[in-house]
Amino acid sequence: MLYLKSPRLVPPNHPTQAKRRLEWGTLPPISAPNMFLDMCSLRISVKTLIIFAALVSLGDASRVKAQSCGSTGLAVQVLGSGGPEAQDKRASTSYLVWQDGKARVVLDAGGGSALRFGESGAQMSQVHVFLFSHFHVDHSSDFPALIFSSWFEDRNRPLPIYGPEGNEFTPSTTEFVHDLFSDPHGAWRYLSDLVEPGTASGGYTLQPHDVAAGSTPVLVLRNADMAVYAVKVIHGAFPALAWRVEMGGKRIVFSGDTNGEGDGLTQLAMNADLFVAHNAVPEGATGVERRLHMPPSVIGTIAANAHVQQLVLSHRMLRTLGKESETQAEIRRRYSGAILLANDLDCFPVK
């Protein structure tokens, strides 16, 4: 009698607390006349399994190589270096902060970033905190994909999520998370165990928090591993935050989307070891795009006044791509430090 294994996958943190398992199904006995054909099929199957195993091992090797970002010390990896345009052929905004080979902080999750997250070799089970700058689509649309993926990992502790308050144009952070996952009206309410206290197995729940930031930086989170600060920035009518992550004696600052008004971002970025600024508009931009984003001259002024060590330009849109020389020249008139251009999956060590 020949038996065949038939896998049925069940998420490890499913409410039923079922584990991944193999169920056995019975096939009819093999008759003698068909024995030769069956043995040939078996040999082909074994060969197929060997090829499959080799491919899997190659995939594992590539993931190990991807994890070289931040294998020691601190590093920022750009998962998404683009904006909302699909034509720029970049994932939308998302960043990882690596510490000693483990991804500890995720900031934003724009379209395409979930794929980049997988390519980076990062694990959601190792992430300490998830931060949002704001809830435009190009900063948040892949969040559900990352969370559903994380359900298949061995995370057994809550995931804190911090982001801005809401207004008539956008939900708050708590509303955003609950609108996605809560019963009875969440878009993906079948995952409601992730936001309903006491219902998820293994202790993995999402813990969203609204950050009431002002024009000066405020401490949002402090633990044994890091301190996280936020400041309110101007991004049109949308509530938005810039973030600073302090780890291992280093300061990493993310401008998010902002037109650069006020001195809050300069205060936040003061003496930063790495400053990620969004280069979404060219010099001379006017109208709505200028009310939403800062041109190179403003980026350079903030970087210079804050005495940042390295400047990384990200959120590169079609209107700035191809204008790198002009952008860098405009920044260089004000800022004399290192200027780096971000592409998807680029890794920037924090020195």
Side-chain angles (χ1 to χ4, degrees), residues 7 9 11 14 19 33 46 54 56 58 69 78 84 90 108 126 134 169 174 196-197 222 229-230 243 344 348 350:
L9 296 180
H14 191 274
K19 301 296 182 181
V46 171
V56 168
L58 286 174
C69 179
V78 178
R90 296 165 180 262
D108 284 346
Q126 297 173 342
H134 66 294
F169 300 109
T174 53
E196 302 298 334
R222 184 187 295 277
Y229 294 81
W243 290 97
D344 288 10
F348 299 97
V350 182

Side-chain angles (χ1 to χ4, degrees), residues 216-293:
T216 58
V218 295
L219 177 65
V220 173
L221 169 69
R222 184 187 295 277
N223 57 34
D225 301 293
M226 71 180 74
V228 179
Y229 294 81
V231 71
K232 179 181 179 180
V233 292
I234 305 302
H235 185 46
F238 276 72
L241 300 172
W243 290 97
R244 183 173 79 222
V245 177
E246 297 183 0
M247 300 178 72
K250 302 293 184 180
R251 290 185 168 192
I252 304 166
V253 176
F254 302 90
S255 74
D257 285 358
T258 176
N259 63 12
E261 290 182 9
D263 63 355
L265 180 55
T266 301
Q267 294 179 43
L268 187 77
M270 190 62 63
N271 299 316
D273 297 282
L274 188 71
F275 178 38
V276 180
H278 284 184
N279 177 217
V281 298
E283 196 64 29
T286 59
V288 173
E289 63 185 54
R290 176 62 185 91
R291 292 196 294 272
L292 293 174
H293 297 285

Side-chain angles (χ1 to χ4, degrees), residues 94-98 102-108 117 123-132 143 146-147 155 157-163 173 204-209 211 220-223 225-229 243-247 254:
S94 185
Y95 306 103
L96 289 178
V97 178
W98 291 83
K102 295 181 179 180
R104 294 307 195 188
V105 180
V106 183
L107 193 148
D108 284 346
F117 185 94
Q123 299 289 324
M124 282 293 293
S125 58
Q126 297 173 342
V127 171
H128 286 328
V129 64
F130 207 115
L131 307 175
F132 279 107
F143 179 68
L146 280 175
I147 295 305
R155 189 180 183 94
R157 67 189 192 283
L159 177 63
I161 302 164
Y162 294 91
T173 303
Y204 178 26
T205 56
L206 305 180
Q207 294 182 340
H209 305 272
V211 176
V220 173
L221 169 69
R222 184 187 295 277
N223 57 34
D225 301 293
M226 71 180 74
V228 179
Y229 294 81
W243 290 97
R244 183 173 79 222
V245 177
E246 297 183 0
M247 300 178 72
F254 302 90

Side-chain angles (χ1 to χ4, degrees), residues 3-9 21-27:
Y3 295 90
L4 178 69
K5 292 182 179 179
S6 173
R8 186 174 70 187
L9 296 180
R21 60 185 183 268
L22 295 174
E23 295 183 344
W24 293 84
T26 303
L27 295 178

